[in-house]
Amino acid sequence: MHSLVRKARTMTCLYLRHALTHTKNAHFYANVPKPSSASPRLFSGIPGLICTPGVRAFCTALTGAAGSRAAVLGQTMESHDSVSYLTQREAAEIDEILMGPLGFSVDQLMELAGLSVATSIAEVYKPSEHARVLTICGPGNNGGDGLVAARHLHHFGYKPYVCYPKRTAKPLYTGLVTQLESLSIPFLSVEDLKSDLSEDFDIVIDAMFGFSFHGAPRPPFDDLIQRLITSHNHEQAGQKKSVTVSIDIPSGWHVEEGDVDGKGIKPDMLVSLTAPKLCAKKFSGPHHFLGGRFVPPAIAEKYKLHLPPYPGTSMCVRIGKPPKVDISALRENYISPEFLEEQVDEDPIVQFRKWFDDALAAGLREPNAMALSTVGKDGKPSSRMVLLKGVDKDGFVWYTNYESQKAHELSENPHASILFFWDYLNRQVRVEGSVQKVSDEESEQYFHSRPRGSQIGALASKQSMVVPGRHVLLQEYKELEQKFADGGLVPKPKNWGGYRLTPQLFEFWQGQPSRLHDRLRYLPHEINGQRAWKVERLAP
């Protein structure tokens, strides 16, 4: 069940990240008088979402332990000097433009902001380790963002709770409350909360005040802010603490000057929306994300905004310094359905296809990617990622240059191992066997099924040979492209074709809690003169 939740979360995050960016600023200004240059108003604007898109390497992400998942998927981190920061007035003006000439509505922006916050959290803090999330919502748009974030976190597999002491009676907010109540998300009063929030919650979302708030926080928010500060002090004392996530502006901070007296909230994560506000320069936590991918070129040009690119379909990007992570502390406690002997197919190829279909259904990127390991006559192993291009009763097929390093090693030792790893399913499949070239006819047929650019690229590249620089490859490609510009058939290189690994061993691995993983190995044996497979369990 948990693996299904994670699959859904992976696919949802891709969608969520798409919508994250333009949310907050607009929702406030639909209901509040426009700020004048003399008396700017602070409330909540479209947060400049700060997510880590590619942070999933050891983490995604995301990307896990101290944000490992989120840490490896991320793009290049942007320094404080290279990212633009907004003043309070600029943030307010951008909100007005978004909600005026650009046609954004408050609920659109709030939905995008809350989604970006939820996605940022999912990139760093996995529900298996940080399930209990308390969202403390203020009366304005920042609070609305928190309500939206709580709804999305519920669908991501977290257990959200909401503290919303000063509710707004407007339909947008009452509708959000109704949505949360329909999901049976508990609403807690201030009196329900312990003075030490870390006792009951793994994550606390600070959605009290945004960039349009000014003045000193009044009850009960002053007390709630103090509880978050107390939680941080627990960490300094070596005690268990909950993670604090602030939306756009840490509540109680000055929008431009930050934590003026040094006694305010010290969030672990800040999710800036649209663009970070000046106070974000004072943020010293490990996770700073930017969201608000809706910023159009006209606004970027007008305000001379320099913002990091969002990778792929992601709606958030990590900015600032990367977190310091103790590699030895990176670990994941896998939670998966049991993988039992009586459940597996007697034919390992059929079992592989079942798992491969699961990887396809989960929407994993390149589920046909496999690590190919070969060993030459010198006995030194080498590995690289290749793409599976066919599987049937005879084995696994891939294509390459017959003069590459792996091809030379296979000519010296025609045995290899391939390994598939499907992260969000907690699964691996290892296959060992002998390797032979496929027929010329099979290679020819596959070659001409490839995109024309890939065909020309195969002609241009003398794989594994030393070249003076990339310009040499590009020049060779350009000349070949011109040579075949008439659309004629691109000939398959004589030194290019496929290999087939004939399996002699399979191992199916399913991650389980406490490192008690399921490992089922298939080995060939004979029954009444017929080749069959026996299944045996290996200790993890």
Side-chain angles (χ1 to χ4, degrees):
M1 179 64 187
H2 182 65
S3 65
L4 295 177
V5 170
R6 293 178 66 187
K7 282 191 261 183
R9 194 187 89 205
T10 305
M11 300 170 75
T12 307
C13 282
L14 293 176
Y15 162 72
L16 291 184
R17 290 166 150 178
H18 237 82
L20 290 185
T21 26
H22 293 55
T23 317
K24 269 189 138 173
N25 297 328
H27 23 318
F28 172 67
Y29 283 98
N31 304 308
V32 174
K34 295 181 180 180
S36 67
S37 58
S39 58
R41 298 202 46 171
L42 299 148
F43 203 57
S44 92
I46 305 182
L49 182 65
I50 302 170
C51 281
T52 27
V55 185
R56 287 184 60 170
F58 297 166
C59 144
T60 123
L62 159 145
T63 351
S68 50
R69 262 185 201 286
V72 180
L73 281 184
Q75 294 273 306
T76 302
M77 308 296 180
E78 298 284 331
S79 71
H80 286 320
D81 295 333
S82 62
V83 175
S84 298
Y85 290 78
L86 296 176
T87 65
Q88 178 186 346
R89 178 192 287 181
E90 288 171 335
E93 288 176 352
I94 290 174
D95 269 0
E96 291 186 68
I97 295 172
L98 289 170
M99 296 183 50
L102 294 184
F104 283 92
S105 63
V106 177
D107 52 344
Q108 280 181 311
L109 294 176
M110 192 174 290
E111 183 66 27
L112 292 174
L115 180 56
S116 64
V117 171
T119 303
S120 300
I121 290 171
E123 285 290 339
V124 178
Y125 303 109
K126 297 178 296 180
S128 58
E129 298 169 2
H130 295 82
R132 303 168 302 168
V133 181
L134 172 66
T135 302
I136 303 177
C137 299
N141 294 324
N142 199 274
D145 297 338
L147 296 173
V148 174
R151 189 185 73 231
H152 286 297
L153 288 169
H154 169 84
H155 293 301
F156 292 175
Y158 296 83
K159 297 177 181 177
Y161 300 78
V162 175
C163 178
Y164 190 19
K166 298 291 184 180
R167 300 194 181 190
T168 302
K170 294 176 181 176
L172 171 59
Y173 298 89
T174 58
L176 290 173
V177 169
T178 299
Q179 293 166 22
L180 296 178
E181 290 175 339
S182 72
L183 296 173
S184 298
I185 293 175
F187 279 77
L188 307 176
S189 68
V190 175
E191 292 72 28
D192 292 329
L193 301 176
K194 295 179 182 177
S195 57
D196 181 3
L197 299 176
S198 298
E199 290 186 26
D200 293 329
F201 306 105
D202 305 304
I203 299 173
V204 179
I205 299 176
D206 161 27
M208 288 179 273
F209 305 115
F211 72 75
S212 300
F213 175 82
H214 65 95
R218 290 181 290 184
F221 298 107
D222 54 351
D223 173 60
L224 291 167
I225 289 174
Q226 189 58 46
R227 297 191 200 194
L228 291 177
I229 296 171
T230 301
S231 175
H232 176 76
N233 293 337
H234 284 333
E235 179 185 33
Q236 294 178 325
Q239 300 172 303
K240 175 185 176 296
K241 68 173 284 284
S242 54
V243 169
T244 301
V245 178
S246 287
I247 299 179
D248 204 31
I249 301 291
S251 293
W253 281 29
H254 188 283
V255 151
E256 297 176 359
E257 298 176 17
D259 184 12
V260 178
D261 60 8
K263 298 180 180 179
I265 295 175
K266 304 288 191 298
D268 303 271
M269 175 185 282
L270 174 62
V271 182
S272 296
L273 301 171
T274 304
K277 314 310 176 287
L278 277 174
C279 67
K281 288 188 175 184
K282 305 295 179 64
F283 171 70
S284 60
H287 305 292
H288 189 187
F289 289 86
L290 177 66
R293 196 172 182 169
F294 50 80
V295 176
I299 286 183
E301 182 177 351
K302 176 178 173 63
Y303 291 92
K304 308 233 176 344
L305 296 181
H306 176 71
L307 302 173
Y310 291 82
T313 60
S314 176
M315 287 305 298
C316 60
V317 57
R318 181 185 287 275
I319 61 176
K321 298 178 181 179
K324 293 181 180 179
V325 177
D326 178 4
I327 295 177
S328 67
L330 294 174
R331 58 179 51 88
E332 180 160 347
N333 191 32
Y334 301 104
I335 300 177
S336 313
E338 290 183 334
F339 186 54
L340 304 176
E341 290 83 339
E342 56 267 26
Q343 297 172 342
V344 303
D345 195 280
E346 62 184 15
D347 185 338
I349 293 290
V350 175
Q351 183 61 45
F352 174 84
R353 286 186 174 279
K354 288 180 179 179
W355 274 23
F356 188 80
D357 288 345
D358 288 344
L360 288 173
L364 303 187
R365 185 168 182 258
E366 293 194 317
N368 59 327
M370 60 186 191
L372 168 66
S373 298
T374 55
V375 179
K377 62 182 180 182
D378 60 2
K380 296 179 180 179
S382 62
S383 300
R384 75 288 293 163
M385 300 301 296
V386 299
L387 296 177
L388 176 70
K389 289 299 176 181
V391 57
D392 56 26
K393 62 182 180 60
D394 297 318
F396 298 78
V397 175
W398 69 93
Y399 292 86
T400 189
N401 188 302
Y402 285 151
E403 295 179 358
S404 63
Q405 178 184 343
K406 54 185 169 293
H408 284 301
E409 291 175 348
L410 286 171
S411 68
E412 297 169 352
N413 178 6
H415 295 84
S417 173
I418 56 177
L419 174 69
F420 298 85
F421 174 56
W422 297 309
D423 181 10
Y424 279 104
L425 299 178
N426 299 334
R427 288 174 175 175
Q428 299 180 57
V429 179
R430 183 168 63 90
V431 187
E432 298 177 1
S434 59
V435 179
Q436 312 82 30
K437 291 181 179 178
V438 304
S439 66
D440 287 341
E441 293 77 16
E442 192 173 346
S443 293
E444 190 83 33
Q445 182 178 7
Y446 173 72
F447 181 82
H448 292 296
S449 73
R450 306 174 83 201
R452 190 173 182 82
S454 298
Q455 296 180 42
I456 296 175
L459 279 174
S461 174
K462 297 175 176 58
Q463 193 175 116
S464 298
M465 300 296 290
V466 175
V467 292
R470 181 168 178 78
H471 66 280
V472 176
L473 291 173
L474 295 176
Q475 181 60 34
E476 179 69 18
Y477 183 91
K478 184 176 181 180
E479 292 174 1
L480 289 169
E481 195 174 35
Q482 292 173 347
K483 180 178 179 179
F484 298 106
D486 60 358
L489 184 71
V490 178
K492 180 187 78 66
K494 292 182 179 180
N495 61 346
W496 190 97
Y499 285 102
R500 176 177 284 104
L501 183 146
T502 302
Q504 296 166 351
L505 176 149
F506 285 81
E507 182 184 325
F508 291 82
W509 181 97
Q510 176 82 67
Q512 296 294 353
S514 302
R515 295 298 185 261
L516 297 178
H517 311 308
D518 291 318
R519 296 177 61 192
L520 297 185
R521 180 173 66 185
Y522 287 76
L523 290 173
H525 70 138
E526 286 192 4
I527 299 179
N528 299 325
Q530 298 293 319
R531 186 173 188 265
W533 294 89
K534 67 176 179 180
V535 178
E536 51 192 19
R537 177 174 291 271
L538 302 178

